[in-house]
Amino acid sequence: MVSQRNISLNICRWAYPGTWVKDLARSWRISSDIAPNWESVKHIISKNMYLSAFAGGGHYNDMDMLEIGRGMSCVEEETHFGMWCIMSSPLLIGCDLTAIPVSSMNLLKNPELIALNQDHLGLQAYVVQHDNEGYVFVKDIENKRGKKRAVALYNPSDKLCSFKVSLEVLELSGKSKVRDLVKRKDEHSVKSFIEYDVEPHGVKILSIEAERRLERVVYEAEQAYLNKFEDLAKRSRGVSFMPFDGASCGMTVCNLGGHRDNYAEWNEVYSEKGGLYKMTVYYVPAEMTQHSIADHRLEVTVNGTRVSFDGLEKERSKGVSSVTLVVDLEPGYNVIRMGSRYTWSPDIDCFTLKPFAE
């Protein structure tokens, strides 16, 4: 059936429905219904924390209605609205505007947070650092690979969280201007790192404009596009996110492989000049069950060129292991995939890229 009007379709299955959804809808719910309390807000942020690769290009992960002005503390409301904005969720007000407190109304009208949400790139922030209870999110704003980025220091815990984040982790360098988007005020400029204490249930949302943009060194598995991912638990061994102590940012991706289409893909691996790079893949031996295949392999494909690894470490108790290869990157964006066509892959932690020195 053909409609004579433009229609934006939102799909709701109370979980991320699967990668098929991007061909059908502009947005999709990723969680159960929101409630006007902190536990609900925290739960939804955690559900969306690793879904950045499934948004973009005019498509969005929908974190549900805004519950501003319905009983949460001012700090919790700032986190609620601020995280919805930096994660590019659709903003739908779910409260009685005739009874909303002035402070809550002012938050909803914050032009700098709204501009962050409505940034024309439409990107969702992703996690680049996770220490203790705190998470650091970042995303490009205004220009892809520009010198200005948005950053969130998110503390979901019940105690004060101290953040120290190097500019290098944010892919920035040099003297950098810092602005607090919640308070709408400039902070002191920095040269090497940002450092803040964030109160319980709180967030610090910043824009940082640096002198130089750096190439990324670390690519986390949980930042990848997982071609067979869905959050409905319809597969007995579906690809998913798995916490692991000792992993970079504390997270891995498990159950890759077993089929050529069950892969992880990073489609914006950037190199300014191209050339040879040393690539190190960090992995954790997959957890074995009575139905597992002992033969685990890893296939790494760079711009269509595939390298296979077998004889990988099998003892999960040994923690994070690694394999290294030399790859030839093109100038600009490159595509890297990991998986295994015929057997399962180990759990992937991350990979690093450094220019290869002859």
Side-chain angles (χ1 to χ4, degrees), residues 178-341:
V178 181
R179 183 167 177 83
D180 186 317
L181 300 186
V182 176
K183 293 183 171 59
R184 298 174 60 194
K185 71 171 188 176
D186 292 332
E187 303 275 349
H188 295 298
S189 296
V190 298
K191 292 184 177 180
S192 56
F193 59 86
I194 56 173
E195 190 170 19
Y196 293 98
D197 289 334
V198 178
E199 56 193 311
H201 306 181
V203 73
K204 187 85 169 176
I205 296 187
L206 309 166
S207 68
I208 302 180
E209 186 171 6
E211 292 179 319
R212 294 178 295 278
R213 180 66 181 264
L214 303 177
E215 287 186 10
R216 195 196 301 195
V217 174
V218 180
Y219 288 81
E220 300 289 347
E222 59 271 24
Q223 297 163 0
Y225 176 82
L226 308 178
N227 191 53
K228 287 293 185 179
F229 176 71
E230 47 88 359
D231 196 26
L232 299 172
K234 294 175 65 177
R235 298 186 180 92
S236 59
R237 190 170 178 169
V239 60
S240 62
F241 305 102
M242 179 68 67
F244 187 84
D245 289 340
S248 176
C249 290
M251 187 61 68
T252 66
V253 167
C254 68
N255 295 336
L256 285 169
H259 192 279
R260 65 181 182 181
D261 292 332
N262 187 22
Y263 57 79
E265 179 178 279
W266 298 258
N267 59 14
E268 291 191 345
V269 177
Y270 186 80
S271 171
E272 183 177 353
K273 298 179 180 179
L276 298 180
Y277 282 71
K278 178 182 176 182
M279 178 179 180
T280 302
V281 181
Y282 295 89
Y283 67 93
V284 180
E287 194 164 16
M288 302 295 290
T289 70
Q290 60 177 339
H291 303 295
S292 296
I293 301 172
D295 180 21
H296 285 82
R297 300 184 184 184
L298 177 63
E299 295 177 342
V300 179
T301 304
V302 180
N303 298 327
T305 299
R306 183 170 56 246
V307 177
S308 298
F309 295 92
D310 53 15
L312 299 172
E313 178 60 57
K314 296 181 179 180
E315 293 295 328
R316 190 173 179 85
S317 62
K318 293 185 178 179
V320 179
S321 300
S322 65
V323 292
T324 299
L325 63 156
V326 175
V327 298
D328 191 2
L329 299 184
E330 299 174 357
Y333 291 112
N334 296 261
V335 178
I336 293 180
R337 286 185 179 181
M338 292 187 198
S340 178
R341 292 165 294 168

Side-chain angles (χ1 to χ4, degrees), residues 63-77:
M63 300 168 75
D64 205 5
M65 306 283 283
L66 292 164
E67 297 285 4
I68 305 298
R70 298 195 62 197
M72 284 183 283
S73 71
C74 290
V75 170
E76 291 166 349
E77 287 195 346

Side-chain angles (χ1 to χ4, degrees), residues 26-40:
R26 291 288 300 276
S27 61
W28 40 83
R29 286 276 302 280
I30 51 86
S31 69
S32 55
D33 291 344
I34 194 170
N37 61 67
W38 170 246
E39 288 303 317
S40 177

Side-chain angles (χ1 to χ4, degrees), residues 86 124-128 136-140 149-152 169-170:
I86 200 168
Q124 179 175 317
Y126 54 89
V127 177
V128 291
V136 179
F137 292 77
V138 69
K139 74 171 182 176
D140 283 350
R149 310 196 80 191
V151 176
V169 167
L170 306 175

